[in-house]
Amino acid sequence: MKKILVTGGAGFIGSHVVRLFVNKYPEYHIINLDKLTYAGNLENLLDVEEKENYSFVKGDIVDESFINELFAAHDFEGVIHLAAESHVDRSITNPTEFIKTNIVGTINLLNAAKSSWGEEMKNKIFYHISTDEVYGSLGKEGYFVEDTPYDPRSPYSSSKASSDHLVRAYFHTYGMPVKISNCSNNYGSHQFPEKLIPLMIHNIKENKPLPIYGEGLNIRDWLWVNDHARAIDIIFHEGKVGETYNIGGNNEWTNIALVKHLCKVMDTKLGRPEGESEQLITFVIDRAGHDMRYAIDASKIKTDLGWEPSITFEKGLEDTVDWYLENEKWLNNVTSGQYQNYYKKQYNN
Ligand code: NAD
Ligand code: TYD
């Protein structure tokens, strides 16, 4: 069996990627390496954990000797690197963790891959998963394309930009066969409820305030996580070595319009009178350095690899709401413990 290392596979996007690969490719052995930070949750993978072509390894990508030993013990055919600190608000309060995991962790993986692959390197793949946030903030016009100059503005996006540069440097300097994709905001099942959509679903359900930063006019381009996982599958198998692919939903929403739409969906699902959940909207102090607009031009991946989003946002969002309402136990488990303390500090409620 070909061994594929997926880092961060217990997180939101990683768990969807692991599930897709384990089920679709019985000829691969998927090894999920995850530190299990507050964002890593093995409950995300209950349906695949008994499969023969799946294994979990708990470990920290910042731990250089551990990573070197892991690569020495396995002959990985490919790496799909998703492990990261991923929340902008946390990067504002604790940037150093982002530097360690996102930058030092990535260089540790690159170095371990380089020395364990040696002469065989040209037959391998190092696929780095990144974000559109590296391109900075758009005004009303324009889209991010693959060669938009990097202009990261938060500690999170700066650390991701740095890791992208390192991955490209290993391609140019050492001939490492790398691929990179930069994706827009994801939503879907199993997302930790600190990010906008699951946070709002949770708070609407619990009749808690819905904190909108600033005036709620910032724009994000939302993509269903399963469509991102499909794109990762296609790029891993068919993408060109050394290339970057932008992945997006062609689906821009202001935060306030999105939350109002979500309130309507939730009113129907919860049997509330229309307009009731909207009363919970509360405008709060804006995020520091809040990027105004992200929007992806995803024409390269469509033209070159035939990928495009498979469902509308309305359908994806409704399915997502259903998932959170049907999986109360999952939600209760992640909203206890450390997350509660963070939540108190962040929102003071
Ligand atoms: P997430 O926070 O849900 O999951 C991150 C995972 O990485 C967790 O399981 C965590 O335990 C693990 N991890 C963190 N630090 C680690 C370390 N030092 N060693 C090993 N494992 C560690 O994040 P996500 O939303 O699933 O994002 C996954 C990747 O996709 C990230 O690289 C992120 O930058 C990128 N991305 C995310 C989005 C989005 O909208 N969520 C959009 C584009 C790109
Ligand atoms: P988020 O889900 O944190 O993703 P990102 O910052 O990576 O785009 O936030 C999405 C948008 O929602 C962003 O413009 C910030 C805003 N937001 C709120 O208004 N309130 C909140 O409580 C959160 C978490 C985000």
Side-chain angles (χ1 to χ4, degrees):
M1 278 201 261
K2 283 186 173 184
K3 287 185 183 174
I4 310 290
L5 178 69
V6 177
T7 70
F12 166 49
I13 301 170
S15 63
H16 286 274
V17 172
V18 166
R19 181 175 301 103
L20 176 69
F21 273 66
V22 167
N23 289 329
K24 189 170 169 186
Y25 299 108
E27 69 276 26
Y28 292 171
H29 184 181
I30 303 301
I31 296 165
N32 171 15
L33 163 64
D34 200 295
K35 184 182 173 185
L36 299 182
T37 67
Y38 77 95
N41 184 352
L42 288 177
E43 283 184 31
N44 295 351
L45 290 165
L46 289 178
D47 53 330
V48 296
E49 69 182 10
E50 299 295 333
K51 300 252 170 151
E52 271 181 18
N53 65 334
Y54 170 75
S55 317
F56 173 70
V57 178
K58 186 173 185 306
D60 187 346
I61 58 171
V62 179
D63 182 345
E64 189 179 1
S65 47
F66 162 74
I67 292 296
N68 288 339
E69 282 163 25
L70 185 75
F71 274 77
H74 298 273
D75 184 17
F76 294 122
E77 291 295 321
V79 175
I80 307 180
H81 174 35
L82 296 109
E85 286 292 337
S86 69
H87 189 42
V88 174
D89 291 328
R90 286 181 190 257
S91 83
I92 295 168
T93 47
N94 187 5
T96 306
E97 274 312 302
F98 286 68
I99 304 313
K100 287 185 193 156
T101 287
N102 299 0
I103 307 178
V104 178
T106 300
I107 198 98
N108 286 343
L109 290 167
L110 287 165
N111 285 335
K114 178 173 160 282
S115 61
S116 90
W117 289 346
E119 292 296 305
E120 289 298 306
M121 187 150 77
K122 63 179 184 315
N123 302 318
K124 314 281 189 176
I125 297 168
F126 190 102
Y127 180 11
H128 177 62
I129 308 301
S130 193
T131 165
D132 61 354
E133 305 192 22
V134 298
Y135 298 123
S137 177
L138 291 166
K140 283 199 172 66
E141 306 285 313
Y143 295 91
F144 297 136
V145 290
E146 284 76 3
D147 53 8
T148 298
Y150 276 32
D151 185 21
R153 288 146 178 262
S154 72
Y156 164 64
S157 54
S158 308
S159 65
K160 290 297 291 187
S162 175
S163 62
D164 293 10
H165 289 316
L166 287 168
V167 172
R168 275 193 199 98
Y170 274 57
F171 170 69
H172 291 293
T173 310
Y174 305 112
M176 176 159 305
V178 309
K179 302 179 183 185
I180 299 179
S181 55
N182 296 80
C183 189
S184 63
N185 287 62
N186 283 215
Y187 71 94
S189 69
H190 303 90
Q191 188 171 26
F192 194 80
E194 63 182 352
K195 305 275 168 72
L196 182 72
I197 290 181
L199 177 83
M200 294 297 160
I201 293 174
H202 176 252
N203 285 15
I204 293 169
K205 184 168 156 275
E206 302 291 320
N207 267 309
K208 285 181 157 183
L210 310 180
I212 305 277
Y213 299 162
E215 296 178 64
L217 298 178
N218 303 67
I219 291 173
R220 298 292 183 263
D221 170 0
W222 293 94
L223 178 70
W224 192 42
V225 65
N226 302 66
D227 278 333
H228 188 188
R230 265 181 51 241
I232 289 172
D233 177 15
I234 294 170
I235 293 168
F236 182 75
H237 290 100
E238 294 165 37
K240 262 172 95 178
V241 166
E243 295 272 318
T244 294
Y245 297 89
N246 278 357
I247 309 169
N250 306 316
N251 178 44
E252 293 180 50
W253 288 74
T254 61
N255 295 333
I256 186 69
L258 191 160
V259 171
K260 284 186 175 171
H261 175 69
L262 189 55
C263 286
K264 279 206 188 80
V265 174
M266 294 283 288
D267 281 343
T268 309
K269 299 277 176 198
L270 297 171
R272 294 181 184 169
E274 195 177 328
E276 186 168 297
S277 299
E278 251 190 63
Q279 310 290 321
L280 298 167
I281 289 176
T282 313
F283 291 93
V284 299
I285 188 158
D286 207 354
R287 171 185 281 172
H290 196 171
D291 287 340
M292 193 58 211
R293 173 173 166 253
Y294 304 142
I296 284 274
D297 175 346
S299 47
K300 175 176 172 180
I301 186 172
K302 185 176 177 188
T303 311
D304 291 5
L305 302 177
W307 175 92
E308 57 186 336
S310 68
I311 61 170
T312 64
F313 184 57
E314 285 72 11
K315 168 85 175 97
L317 194 68
E318 200 183 327
D319 287 359
T320 301
V321 168
D322 286 341
W323 187 86
Y324 284 95
L325 294 178
E326 283 159 17
N327 289 275
E328 208 167 25
K329 184 165 165 263
W330 183 95
L331 199 55
N332 290 343
N333 286 353
V334 295
T335 51
S336 58
Q338 197 190 339
Y339 178 66
Q340 284 292 348
N341 299 334
Y342 165 77
Y343 190 85
K344 272 202 193 96
K345 222 169 79 194
Q346 186 68 16
Y347 298 114
N348 208 21
N349 69 17

